[in-house]
């Protein structure tokens, strides 16, 4: 039996930081309101010349470095992103050329904030079926580009960033199981209702923005995150005591705390980085994972429960041994 295992992590945040106090100058809000309701203190914003692929490249090089693997050994690239550089080619193809990788499959996955879990699931299946041996799996976003910076109900929540992992074939897991869900009936609660084939003129006039019914999203997110985490534990006959680190999508510290409470996971086992970068959508889970690997919290052999929830709605989880 062949499994996939994470052998390196990396992440990147743009250097420009926007604090809650900076936002007070843009919209009618306050640091206290944002911090109390979301746990966010600041977010990083890509400069106008920085693209999603630029962030993905930095995170990927850091992950390859940590894995001690040359980019030429990578035989699969999957990027989860909602904010691709171009309509086509995919951000993954642009990255492939930059990293000097030849002829590997390379493609983008779009599942908004659950995107990294979708990408990880796909790469895991490539490796288990011996279609790849070393995969670069990335979550990268310039979400600031699809935010209305005059809308206080959304602009305080999001930021830009990228996280990456290198997965390689291994005789032992690694990834024990992945669990994905979607329910398009909720498509209007969280969306950018604009694209290439619908309302394209809003892209041209620069008003393709994220819309969200925050309260509704909150309630459904907490329920779905609980269910999909339990599904991952049950699939592995594991209980919460066996989980060393719980790494949820970093959307709102209250969603994180509420999910942890429902699962019976103590907050000192939860990786929380949202205060530093806000909701970076598909980048948030690998960003948080890399932070906890690099600061020494996550160690080889630790059991990780990761999970995410995003527009669609899409949601998912994975149980793995680091
Ligand atoms: N600053 C100050 N006041 C604000 C702000 C703001 N930035 N935004 C809203 N308010 C006001 C509202 O207008 C409202 O005022 P009113 O009572 O006079 O009408 C009041 O604050 C309360 O607003 P609510 O929307 O009820 O506030 P709530 O406690 O629900 O918090 C929030 C809003 C933070 C958006 C919360 O609903 C939430 O986090 N939802 C989940 C969102 C999420 O996680 N989305 C991402 C998941 S998927 C993905 O990542 C793409």
């Amino acid at each position: 039996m062949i499994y996939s295992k994470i052998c390196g992590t990396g992440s990147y945040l743009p250097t420009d930081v926007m604090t809650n106090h900076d936002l007070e100058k843009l919209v009618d809000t306050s640091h206290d309101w944002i911090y109390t309701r979301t746990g966010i203190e600041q977010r990083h914003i890509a400069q106008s010349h920085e693209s999603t692929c630029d962030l993905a490249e930095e995170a990927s090089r850091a992950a390859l470095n940590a894995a001690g693997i040359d980019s030429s050994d990578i035989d699969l690239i999957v990027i989860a992103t909602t904010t691709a550089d171009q309509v086509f080619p995919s951000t993954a193809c642009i990255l492939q050329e930059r990293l000097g990788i030849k002829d590997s499959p390379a493609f983008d996955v779009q599942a908004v904030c659950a995107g990294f879990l979708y990408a990880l699931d796909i790469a895991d299946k490539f490796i288990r079926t011996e279609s790849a041996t070393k995969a670069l799996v990335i979550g990268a976003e310039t979400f600031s580009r699809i935010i209305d910076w005059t809308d206080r109900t959304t602009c305080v929540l999001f930021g830009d960033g990228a996280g990456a992992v290198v997965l390689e074939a291994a005789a032992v897991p690694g990834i024990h199981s992945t669990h994905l869900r979607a329910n398009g009936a909720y498509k209007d609660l969280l969306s950018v209702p604009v694209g290439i084939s619908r309302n394209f003129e809003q892209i041209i006039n620069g008003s393709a923005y994220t819309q969200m019914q925050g309260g509704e999203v909150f309630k459904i997110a907490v329920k779905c995150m609980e269910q999909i985490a339990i599904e991952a534990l049950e699939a592995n006959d594991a209980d919460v005591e066996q989980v060393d680190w719980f790494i949820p999508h970093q959307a709102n510290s209250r969603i994180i705390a509420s999910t942890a409470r429902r699962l019976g996971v103590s907050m000192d086992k939860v990786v929380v980085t949202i205060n530093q970068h806000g909701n970076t959508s598909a980048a948030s889970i690998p960003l948080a994972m890399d932070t906890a690997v690099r600061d020494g919290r996550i160690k080889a052999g630790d059991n990780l429960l990761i999970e995410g929830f995003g527009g669609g709605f899409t949601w998912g989880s994975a149980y793995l041994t680091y």
Side-chain angles (χ1 to χ4, degrees):
M1 189 84 177
I2 294 173
Y3 301 93
S4 74
K5 193 167 175 57
I6 294 176
C7 59
T9 66
S11 60
Y12 181 74
L13 290 165
T15 49
D16 280 5
V17 170
M18 184 187 281
T19 65
N20 293 346
H21 294 296
D22 294 329
L23 272 169
E24 288 171 354
K25 294 171 202 145
L26 289 183
V27 288
D28 180 15
T29 192
S30 67
H31 167 78
D32 285 350
W33 192 97
I34 300 169
Y35 185 66
T36 313
R37 304 272 176 142
T38 70
I40 299 167
E41 294 175 63
Q42 60 175 40
R43 66 288 295 141
H44 293 247
I45 306 292
Q47 291 178 18
S48 56
H49 68 272
E50 282 179 306
S51 74
T52 293
C53 193
D54 293 331
L55 312 190
E57 182 182 352
E58 295 281 355
S60 299
R61 290 192 187 281
L64 287 164
N65 211 20
I69 282 176
D70 193 83
S71 61
S72 59
D73 292 331
I74 293 294
D75 52 12
L76 173 69
I77 302 172
V78 189
I79 299 188
T81 187
T82 315
T83 47
D85 280 30
Q86 301 178 192
V87 175
F88 68 86
S90 68
T91 313
C93 283
I94 300 170
L95 180 70
Q96 185 202 41
E97 191 267 336
R98 288 196 196 178
L99 295 178
I101 299 168
K102 296 266 186 318
D103 296 341
S104 73
F107 54 92
D108 294 0
V109 171
Q110 157 56 309
V112 204
C113 304
F116 180 74
L117 284 152
Y118 273 67
L120 193 72
D121 173 278
I122 294 165
D124 175 55
K125 289 184 167 81
F126 263 78
I127 289 177
R128 282 177 188 249
T129 56
E130 299 184 55
S131 303
T133 57
K134 288 186 176 58
L136 200 44
V137 184
I138 303 147
E141 301 280 15
T142 45
F143 223 83
S144 62
R145 305 276 159 77
I146 49 170
I147 294 300
D148 177 355
W149 290 97
T150 65
D151 174 10
R152 69 176 184 172
T153 67
T154 52
C155 76
V156 301
L157 302 173
F158 295 94
D160 302 332
V165 302
V166 178
L167 276 188
E168 69 176 354
V172 291
I175 297 181
H176 297 273
S177 68
T178 51
H179 308 267
L180 302 181
R181 291 284 182 281
N183 187 341
Y186 293 117
K187 66 185 185 326
D188 297 328
L189 291 184
L190 177 56
S191 67
V192 178
V194 168
I196 302 305
S197 72
R198 189 184 288 272
N199 303 327
F200 183 61
E201 63 285 356
Q202 289 184 45
I203 293 187
I204 294 170
N205 71 23
S207 59
Y209 297 137
T210 300
Q211 302 176 359
M212 179 174 67
Q213 293 180 37
E216 289 304 304
V217 175
F218 192 107
K219 281 186 264 176
I220 300 164
V222 170
K223 272 194 211 138
C224 291
M225 300 269 271
E226 180 190 13
Q227 284 161 2
I228 207 74
I230 290 171
E231 188 176 315
L233 291 172
E234 286 180 353
N236 295 287
D237 286 327
D239 56 42
V240 284
E241 277 69 45
Q242 288 164 262
V243 176
D244 295 295
W245 294 105
F246 176 49
I247 310 177
H249 169 47
Q250 310 283 312
N252 181 315
S253 59
R254 289 188 297 140
I255 295 179
I256 294 172
S258 183
T259 309
R261 193 166 51 246
R262 282 161 165 255
L263 291 170
V265 178
S266 136
M267 278 309 284
D268 56 15
K269 289 167 95 179
V270 183
V271 179
V272 181
T273 54
I274 189 171
N275 57 315
Q276 290 302 307
H277 51 65
N279 183 346
T280 56
S281 187
S284 105
I285 293 171
L287 250 169
M289 187 186 295
D290 183 52
T291 301
V293 166
R294 283 173 195 268
D295 68 21
R297 276 179 286 175
I298 296 178
K299 297 186 175 59
D302 281 355
N303 293 321
L304 314 183
L305 176 59
I306 66 178
E307 64 169 352
F309 179 89
F313 288 146
T314 51
W315 64 104
S317 63
Y319 188 69
L320 54 118
T321 301
Y322 183 73

